[in-house]
Amino acid sequence: MIELKQLYQGFRDPETIHKLAQTIQTLAQDHPETIHIMEVCGGHTHTIMKYGLNQLLPANIEFVHGPGCPVCVMPKERIDHAAILASMPDTILVTLGDMIRVPGSKGSLAQFRAKGCDIRPIYDPLDTLTIAKDNPDKTVIFFAIGFETSTPMTAVLIEQAEQQKINNLLFHINHVLVPPAIDAVMADPQAKVNAFIGPAHVSVISGAKIYRSAVEQYGTPVVVSGFEPVDVMESILRIVKQKVAGVAELDIQYSRAVSEEGNLAAQKKINQYMMVRPHFRWRGLGPLQLSALMLKPQYAHRDAEVQFKDLLQVDDIDDHKACQCGDILRGIAKPKDCKVFGRGCTPETPLGSCMVSSEGACNAYYRYNGV
């Protein structure tokens, strides 16, 4: 039987990390421009901060933290939707763990839970089936979040609910897509990004092909990276090699899990039950066209937004004025640029979603950067 440590042991080797850092230093020292690398995924941000990879790099390589945290990009009005649904009589709201602590305009789901609402954080979406079966007299609503990574599991959950005729299970879909977020970052005149570390798990599902348009349109290298420190350092080296050579290419460092085409079976399952939403508002990035998913019309009987549309407001709700989470998600600010970081805003008392999520940039800086 394979032990867990066997899967990552070689990818955390200090000697390998330092050798990669030395090679990067040597190659980058004569490059005339600063290489601003956006690691789109919050999982990469945590790897960078936890292992101090940013401290091993030359001054002309800078990390820019991206909008790749599904909890972080959820706007307040969507969280308010969840709170409104959870407050309905005979209703159970189910969602993934970090989501219950993100503040909406009316408070977090954790606060609504403390008031008596039946809100259940889970880590396996399929647990929702058991909850719905065990509570046939209740309406169970799955508040679905995540990028392309977690979308297939929601599709399977919908399929199982249909096949098993679990009629009391509904869905509030908040699945978002990576490519439109990259486009939004690059469209910002304040953006300095000139290279990307592509998300790992997203790419397992969607395939590396989804970044090809970014490479061609913006002339920026995209290297799809695994999450371990050696993965990230090797991906940075590949970016530096492209920059020194004056080329921009799509490269797959995480070849042990990612292919060009991705998981076609998962893609087919998603397309069976969901379609692209005309527009979706992201925290920090604003409304983006064709940037999220929704249930197809034939599954309107399971769509909480359709079934309870008269209860759910559509007005945009801005973040706390002191919170710079939006700027951090756009890549134009770092957590320490925020005046309330580590003071009024901590993981115990978060003002913004970037401090709440286990993938948020503020959370990573707070945990690993000596705050």
Side-chain angles (χ1 to χ4, degrees):
M1 182 176 179
I2 298 176
E3 295 184 16
L4 179 60
K5 66 180 181 180
Q6 292 177 272
L7 299 176
Y8 63 74
Q9 209 163 29
F11 296 97
R12 298 182 185 179
D13 177 56
E15 184 177 351
T16 303
I17 294 169
H18 282 283
K19 284 183 177 179
L20 285 166
Q22 290 169 5
T23 306
I24 291 168
Q25 291 270 2
T26 301
L27 277 176
Q29 63 184 355
D30 296 325
H31 190 66
E33 299 177 350
T34 299
I35 304 173
H36 298 278
I37 303 174
M38 173 171 278
E39 78 284 1
V40 178
C41 180
H44 286 135
T45 305
H46 276 252
T47 296
I48 290 163
M49 300 307 298
K50 180 177 180 179
Y51 294 96
L53 303 185
N54 54 323
Q55 300 172 40
L56 301 176
L57 299 176
N60 64 338
I61 296 180
E62 181 184 357
F63 287 115
V64 181
H65 312 310
C69 165
V71 172
C72 299
V73 301
M74 198 64 56
K76 285 189 173 182
E77 61 267 20
R78 304 294 290 186
I79 299 166
D80 285 358
H81 280 197
I84 291 167
L85 294 171
S87 299
M88 297 190 307
D90 299 319
T91 298
I92 301 172
L93 186 89
V94 181
T95 191
L96 300 180
D98 283 345
M99 199 67 239
I100 72 166
R101 297 182 55 245
V102 181
S105 70
K106 304 174 187 298
S108 68
L109 293 178
Q111 291 171 316
F112 277 84
R113 187 183 184 190
K115 294 175 183 177
C117 295
D118 194 344
I119 299 172
R120 305 189 189 185
I122 58 167
Y123 292 92
D124 182 355
L126 291 179
D127 288 345
T128 309
L129 294 171
T130 302
I131 294 172
K133 288 177 183 177
D134 290 346
N135 297 273
D137 57 333
K138 302 284 184 70
T139 298
V140 177
I141 301 174
F142 182 61
F143 189 79
I145 67 166
F147 283 88
E148 290 92 335
T149 309
S150 57
T151 309
M153 186 58 73
T154 300
V156 169
L157 184 56
I158 297 166
E159 180 178 68
Q160 289 298 310
E162 287 286 288
Q163 290 178 354
Q164 298 180 38
K165 294 182 171 52
I166 305 174
N167 297 323
N168 62 325
L169 177 54
L170 276 64
F171 296 82
H172 190 285
I173 302 295
N174 300 275
H175 287 298
V176 290
L177 306 171
V178 168
I182 291 177
D183 291 337
V185 166
M186 296 304 288
D188 192 322
Q190 299 181 70
K192 299 179 180 179
V193 179
N194 54 18
F196 287 94
I197 291 178
H201 294 161
V202 164
S203 307
V204 172
I205 301 300
S206 297
K209 64 182 184 294
I210 64 172
Y211 312 114
R212 192 164 296 284
S213 62
V215 173
E216 295 171 353
Q217 183 174 353
Y218 308 116
T220 56
V222 176
V223 178
V224 180
S225 172
F227 282 119
E228 296 298 334
V230 169
D231 287 324
V232 175
M233 291 299 284
E234 185 186 351
S235 297
I236 295 166
L237 176 58
R238 293 185 182 203
I239 287 172
V240 172
K241 285 180 176 179
Q242 289 193 42
K243 286 293 185 181
V244 170
V247 299
E249 298 173 346
L250 173 60
D251 190 9
I252 304 174
Q253 181 276 335
Y254 195 37
S255 58
R256 61 189 187 275
V258 174
S259 67
E260 176 79 13
E261 294 302 316
N263 188 324
L264 298 180
Q267 294 169 28
K268 182 179 179 181
K269 189 70 67 179
I270 293 168
N271 293 333
Q272 182 177 350
Y273 296 101
M274 297 180 224
M275 58 187 285
V276 176
R277 192 183 289 262
H279 55 81
F280 188 88
R281 199 172 87 97
W282 296 50
R283 190 185 294 245
L285 299 180
L288 303 182
Q289 292 184 344
L290 308 176
S291 65
L293 300 176
M294 60 188 292
L295 283 176
K296 287 186 171 180
Q298 56 264 45
Y299 301 104
H301 59 286
R302 294 203 180 271
D303 193 337
E305 290 188 77
V306 173
Q307 298 301 317
F308 304 109
K309 62 181 179 181
D310 293 337
L311 296 176
L312 304 178
Q313 80 276 8
V314 294
D315 295 335
D316 298 343
I317 302 172
D318 293 330
D319 285 335
H320 193 288
K321 291 182 179 180
C323 176
Q324 285 189 256
C325 185
D327 291 339
I328 294 165
L329 292 168
R330 287 159 55 206
I332 62 173
K334 296 285 182 68
K336 287 191 173 181
D337 295 331
C338 182
K339 294 180 180 179
V340 295
F341 171 76
R343 299 179 179 88
C345 184
T346 69
E348 291 73 33
T349 57
L351 291 180
S353 57
C354 294
M355 185 62 86
V356 174
S357 171
S358 58
E359 292 190 353
C362 292
N363 186 289
Y365 273 65
Y366 191 92
R367 292 175 65 185
Y368 303 123
N369 208 31
V371 177

